[in-house]
Amino acid sequence: MDTMVCPMGGGATKLYSTLTQTLSSSSPLALPPSHLDPHPPVDTALDPAFCQKGSDPAELLRQCEEALRDRPPRFHRKFTHLSDGDSAPGSPIRVMQWNILAQALGEGLDSFVQCPLEALSWSRRKYLILEEILTYRPHILCLQEVDHYYDTFQPVLAGLGYSSNFCPKPWSPCLDVEGNNGPDGCALFFDQSRYEFLDSMNIRLSAMRIPTNQVAVVMMLRCRSTGRCLCVAVTHLKARSGWEWLRSAQGSDLLRHLQTLVQKHASGPTGAPASDIPLLICGDFNAIPTEEVYRRFTASPLGLDSAYKKLSQDGLTEPEYTTWKIRPTGECCTTLDYIWYSQDTLRVDAVLDMPSEGQIGPNRLPSFSYPSDHLSLVCDFSFKEE
């Protein structure tokens, strides 16, 4: 299957005008696959081997490590393995959620006062981001703040057998930065050897029926080994304090769309219950766990739980932080990123732990060791017995 994308043109200006036309309609955007140039522009600073069909992930990881040989050691994170004993036979589903930090924002607008400019250069960061992805090799990869989709992530990951969909923000702040690479948005990648594509929606999230600047990508996939369907979503909700009500409305809008898509694909001639189709919802919610949007997801009739609570002693508490940065306004160490899953149909088998304060270091994130102000979340899931 070819990559499916929002239709777009060439340069940033053409791109932006196309996007604003495309995204000005009311949500959801059920965009048909648009077949771009089969040879999209490739980042010329990347080794061409990165973008070849059937590339070897171990070799690509070695190339990244070689390009980064002068940097401080990378974070060594361990998986915490959980065992409930009620999963169906079949291969695990490894999911990565990560706000990778848009290049234009990192260099232009985000003002990470303790981070050297050199650590924010794309020539360095692209290898750090790819190294993180290649280290954990997720089957499903959910990214936010992607502004190098066409020239880096799509071609490189397509070479590794991932298919993907990208939805840019209609008014991306990246476009205000001189020399930007186009708008940032959400991207969802999946391993085609493990999953078959069934359906996709690119959604411009609404609040009380008014379209907002935030988006989501939703895909319906079928697991090739078990034949079971899986609905996956990636989103990035409105940032900053004072916008809690908007995040809550956006979260409700996303849940509504998910319910609609799952019902559309509910199996069987008699319309078996939609609750049989598991959901995975990844995102930078820009919301701490006491916020209303978090409570909405917890209380949703879709039966969702947050996977990263499994790291805590009591199984009820989110990590202390998923983002840790220093801006001119001060230090921010908080939890904003989540992997939500259907607790009746999916089991959490393993969760990647968070690096310690000592590993992160006094200047916090991003840094020469780590390319984003948000930490990646990685979980292994399996289907529960039907």
Side-chain angles (χ1 to χ4, degrees), residues 74-120:
R74 71 187 302 273
F75 300 155
H76 285 288
R77 300 167 67 183
K78 294 192 178 113
F79 280 96
T80 296
H81 293 273
L82 311 149
S83 179
D84 297 339
D86 62 345
S87 66
S91 35
I93 307 159
R94 176 161 291 183
V95 180
M96 178 185 271
Q97 147 58 31
W98 197 14
N99 177 334
I100 60 172
L101 174 61
Q103 184 58 28
L105 300 185
E107 286 187 305
L109 296 175
D110 275 355
S111 304
F112 300 112
V113 289
Q114 301 284 69
C115 182
L117 266 178
E118 193 193 335
L120 291 168

Side-chain angles (χ1 to χ4, degrees), residues 160-236:
L160 295 172
Y162 288 88
S163 189
S164 58
N165 201 352
F166 173 66
C167 188
K169 291 177 188 164
W171 308 297
S172 166
C174 294
L175 297 167
D176 296 331
V177 178
E178 194 177 339
N180 70 76
N181 199 58
D184 77 299
C186 292
L188 201 165
F189 298 82
F190 68 93
D191 179 348
Q192 292 182 89
S193 70
R194 299 288 295 268
Y195 299 98
E196 177 191 354
F197 171 82
L198 297 179
D199 202 356
S200 181
M201 263 199 307
N202 283 8
I203 301 164
R204 181 176 179 181
L205 297 172
S206 289
M208 295 171 290
R209 306 208 172 175
I210 299 165
T212 69
N213 191 36
Q214 279 64 48
V215 298
V217 179
V218 184
M219 277 195 195
M220 187 67 71
L221 304 173
R222 183 185 284 127
C223 174
R224 292 186 191 276
S225 65
T226 64
R228 292 177 71 170
C229 290
L230 183 65
C231 183
V232 187
V234 54
T235 194
H236 187 185

Side-chain angles (χ1 to χ4, degrees), residues 29-147:
L29 289 174
L31 296 181
S34 69
H35 301 284
L36 297 187
D37 174 32
H39 307 289
V42 169
D43 188 329
T44 49
L46 286 171
D47 184 315
F50 262 96
C51 307
Q52 285 170 3
K53 206 89 178 132
S55 302
D56 173 20
E59 172 56 23
L60 298 193
L61 181 58
R62 192 198 61 73
Q63 285 184 38
C64 288
E65 287 165 349
E66 178 61 23
L68 297 165
R69 62 186 178 279
D70 61 338
R71 60 87 192 268
R74 71 187 302 273
F75 300 155
H76 285 288
R77 300 167 67 183
K78 294 192 178 113
F79 280 96
T80 296
H81 293 273
L82 311 149
S83 179
D84 297 339
D86 62 345
S87 66
S91 35
I93 307 159
R94 176 161 291 183
V95 180
M96 178 185 271
Q97 147 58 31
W98 197 14
N99 177 334
I100 60 172
L101 174 61
Q103 184 58 28
L105 300 185
E107 286 187 305
L109 296 175
D110 275 355
S111 304
F112 300 112
V113 289
Q114 301 284 69
C115 182
L117 266 178
E118 193 193 335
L120 291 168
S121 71
W122 183 238
S123 59
R124 175 178 290 273
R125 286 188 66 239
K126 68 187 169 200
Y127 289 111
L128 282 166
I129 295 168
L130 289 166
E131 179 189 52
E132 183 85 349
I133 295 166
L134 290 162
T135 296
Y136 299 111
R137 289 178 59 185
H139 306 118
I140 293 168
L141 172 62
C142 295
L143 302 179
Q144 300 86 39
E145 292 201 21
V146 179
D147 62 349

